Amino acid sequence: MNVSLRPLEDRDLDTIYQQVTDPESVRMAAFTAEDQTDRRAFLNRMSRLRADTSVSYRVIDVDEQSLERSRPSESTISLR
């Protein structure tokens, strides 16, 4: 499996928004936004972070083809 870090791109924002608004993620988080579902506030915060040169925002990029090859097939999974 190939995994790398890369700079945040616009295409990543929807996925990050889904993660920060996930009810279980919100429940477990130590700090949350006042209104986690406020997409405009989320985009404004991300815009400020991306403009700040002291912040290095990176995302994990996983090669999907190698990820598929690394998953066990159903025949190799045993449930007890």
Side-chain angles (χ1 to χ4, degrees):
M1 175 175 13
N2 297 322
V3 178
S4 61
L5 291 178
R6 63 169 172 75
L8 176 71
E9 299 172 357
D10 289 342
R11 66 186 172 106
D12 301 315
L13 294 176
D14 285 338
T15 301
I16 295 171
Y17 179 74
Q18 289 174 358
Q19 291 172 345
V20 300
T21 58
D22 174 71
E24 187 66 10
S25 296
V26 171
R27 186 187 70 76
M28 294 187 310
F31 302 98
T32 61
E34 187 173 324
D35 179 5
Q36 295 86 10
T37 62
D38 185 346
R39 187 168 177 87
R40 183 176 306 278
F42 165 78
L43 291 173
N44 287 340
R45 181 171 186 272
M46 294 305 293
S47 180
R48 284 192 314 273
L49 287 172
R50 293 171 79 186
D52 186 341
T53 57
S54 69
V55 175
S56 177
Y57 214 117
R58 300 282 186 251
V59 294
I60 297 173
D61 198 18
V62 178
D63 174 20
E64 292 296 326
Q65 289 179 342
S66 64
L67 182 61
E68 283 299 320
R69 288 190 304 269
S70 70
R71 288 190 178 129
S73 67
E74 287 184 30
S75 62
T76 62
I77 298 174
S78 72
L79 302 175
R80 297 176 193 250

